[in-house]
Every structure is written in structure tokens, then in C-alpha cells.
Amino acid sequence: MATAAQWIEGARPRTLPNAIAPVIAGTGAAAALDAVVWWKAVVALLLSVALILGVNYANDYSDGVRGTDDDRVGPLRLVGSGLASPTAVKTAAIGCLALGAVLGLVLVFSTAWWLLLIGAACLAGAWFYTGGGKPYGYSGFGEVAVFVFFGLVAVLGTQFVQAERIDWVGTALAVGVGSFSSAVLVANNLRDIPTDTATGKITLAVTLGDARTRTLHLVLLTVPFLLTLALALHTPWALAGLLAAPLAVRANAPVRGGGNGLELIPALRDSGLALLAWSILCAVALGLG
């Protein structure tokens, strides 16, 4: 039976920046419109965390029962390691997603009814990433989904529920956050190319191959800093986002250095840290501007 510490590790805490950063960035975008609503920002943060935990447990469950995680290299997987039963992990996933749904309803009822449709799409995206008969994560669409849900939807959704409108600043932040978030998954899937290929999991990394996946990681880490220059048109303070560049360089180091397997784990961690740092710096800058 898995311990509490193993359940926490199985929740993949290294992915939390992917949940926290979009809400920070979206709140910064709302601040640029002088429309921050702090209680909605807190609810959006709890919602985002609940969804990413749900995604992670759902992924653990689905990959575990398919046998994808039997011989994987990397952090603990609860089902694949045999530490927790598939039923227990599935229950944890459903519980987190249900909590996210309740929090989403709070924002729906206090903002606009049509957000319910977006929320339903988010829940479906969370489950069918690796769940169901034809999971899209097994067909190379994982990075696209991360870009859409943890970039565009999360950032612009956070801005909208507070300001009740979106603008180009929010869109720039959403694309930047989505690029960083996708870079985290690219690093993860680069590490897993050998085992994913063996088990028939056709990720984008498997399709592109090792060399082009490494190039993609660099491109995705570069995009947010190009957008930082655009954000400077709104306020010169936005150039503070460039201070996150050393973290991005460090995140790409194991990738461009030809690292494999466990050597790529720092790339996941540092891509997430670069995402979080960039989002905080840009959000503060927009608040000051």
C-alpha cells in the first residue's frame, strides 16, 4: 500500500508550476485592466491545482492499466509500480476532477453561464488525455492540449473571470505560458521516447524523433521571451520577464547536451521553474505598469 509521501510523489508535484503560473499570469493580465478580483483569483488557483492533480492521477491510472509505465524511467508511478491499486488511483483522479468541477461552478455562477462549456471541455481533456479507447495523448496531441488548456484557457479564463473581458496582453501571456507548459511535456516525452515507442504510445516526441524534439524544446522556451518584448509595448516594466531567461537556459542544458533518461529530469523541473518565474515577473510588472 502506498504511503502518504508516495501518493504525493505520484501526484507529480513538479508539474504544479503548470497549474500555478497560468493563474498568476491571468491575474497580471487582469491587473493590466485594473480589474483584479482577488477571491476569484484564489478560486481559479484552487481549480487549476485540482485539475492538474486530477490529470496526473488519471494519467497514472490509464498508463498503468495499459502497461505503459511498467518499464519507464523517471519519477514514481503508483499503478505501474504496484504501490496502489488502479481503483484507488482512479478514485483519486475522479475526486480531484470533481473538486475542480465544483470550483469551476463557483466561477460560472459568478461570471457567465457559457464558461460551463469550457469547463466541460477541460474535464474531458483531462480524462481523455490518456483515458478512453483512443486517448489523444497516444496520438501526438498532448503538447497541443497542454498549450490550449494550461496556456490559452487557463490564462485567458483567469483574466476573464476577473475583468470580464480579454485583451492582447492576456493573449500574449497565454501564449507564453502555453509554450513553457508544452516545453515541460516535451522534455518529459523526450525522456520517454524509448519506452513509449516500445509500448505503442505515439507521442509528438516519438513522431518527431530525438533531434527534432530537442529543437522543439528550445523553440518553446524562446517564444515567451520574444513575447516579453511585445509586452514592453504595454509597459517597459514587462522587460523584467527577461530575468527568467537564465532559468530557461538551464532548463534546456540537458536537452541540448544530449541527455537521456534520468539526465533529463532537471529539464522538466527547470522548465517549470522558468515558467513560474516568468509568470510572476510579468504579472508584477503589469501590476506596476
Side-chain angles (χ1 to χ4, degrees):
M1 181 177 293
T3 65
Q6 288 168 333
W7 275 102
I8 292 172
E9 186 178 355
R12 311 181 195 183
R14 289 187 182 88
T15 64
L16 286 178
N18 295 66
I20 297 169
V23 178
I24 292 173
T27 301
L33 296 174
D34 296 318
V36 173
V37 181
W38 287 111
W39 76 265
K40 288 188 175 183
V42 171
V43 173
L45 177 61
L46 295 175
L47 164 61
S48 188
V49 170
L51 287 181
I52 203 165
L53 294 179
V55 169
N56 290 342
Y57 281 132
N59 179 255
D60 190 305
Y61 163 75
S62 297
D63 280 349
V65 297
R66 283 190 173 89
T68 308
D69 286 341
D70 288 352
D71 299 307
R72 76 185 305 279
V73 176
L76 174 73
R77 294 296 182 262
L78 293 165
V79 175
S81 66
L83 288 169
S85 70
T87 300
V89 177
K90 182 179 181 180
T91 300
I94 292 173
C96 291
L97 294 176
L99 175 60
V102 171
L103 293 168
L105 287 175
V106 173
L107 296 177
V108 167
F109 290 136
S110 62
T111 309
W113 71 267
W114 54 264
L115 290 174
L116 185 64
L117 302 177
I118 295 177
C122 289
L123 291 174
W127 185 258
F128 291 109
Y129 171 49
T130 56
K134 293 184 178 180
Y136 63 84
Y138 280 54
S139 302
F141 294 104
E143 285 80 359
V144 174
V146 166
F147 180 85
V148 171
F149 290 117
F150 285 99
L152 302 183
V153 173
V155 175
L156 293 176
T158 299
Q159 182 185 29
F160 183 82
V161 297
Q162 296 180 69
E164 299 196 11
R165 65 188 179 100
I166 60 176
D167 66 351
W168 76 267
V169 171
T171 302
L173 289 168
V175 172
V177 169
S179 296
F180 270 127
S181 293
S182 296
V184 175
L185 184 57
V186 165
N188 179 80
N189 289 343
L190 172 64
R191 181 198 64 205
D192 291 343
I193 285 177
T195 54
D196 286 344
T197 300
T199 56
K201 184 176 182 178
I202 310 301
T203 63
L204 181 61
V206 170
T207 300
L208 292 177
D210 186 275
R212 284 186 289 182
T213 300
R214 294 178 191 274
T215 300
L216 177 60
H217 187 259
L218 176 60
V219 170
L220 289 170
L221 290 179
T222 301
V223 167
F225 297 102
L226 298 178
L227 292 169
T228 302
L229 301 178
L231 288 169
L233 297 175
H234 176 80
T235 172
W237 286 103
L239 292 173
L242 297 175
L243 295 175
L247 282 172
V249 172
R250 190 174 76 177
N252 186 246
V255 177
R256 67 176 180 273
N260 291 293
L262 294 174
E263 296 169 340
L264 289 169
I265 291 179
L268 278 76
R269 177 198 64 208
D270 293 338
S271 295
L273 291 176
L275 159 64
L276 188 58
W278 184 80
S279 298
I280 292 172
L281 289 166
C282 289
V284 172
L286 291 169
L288 292 173

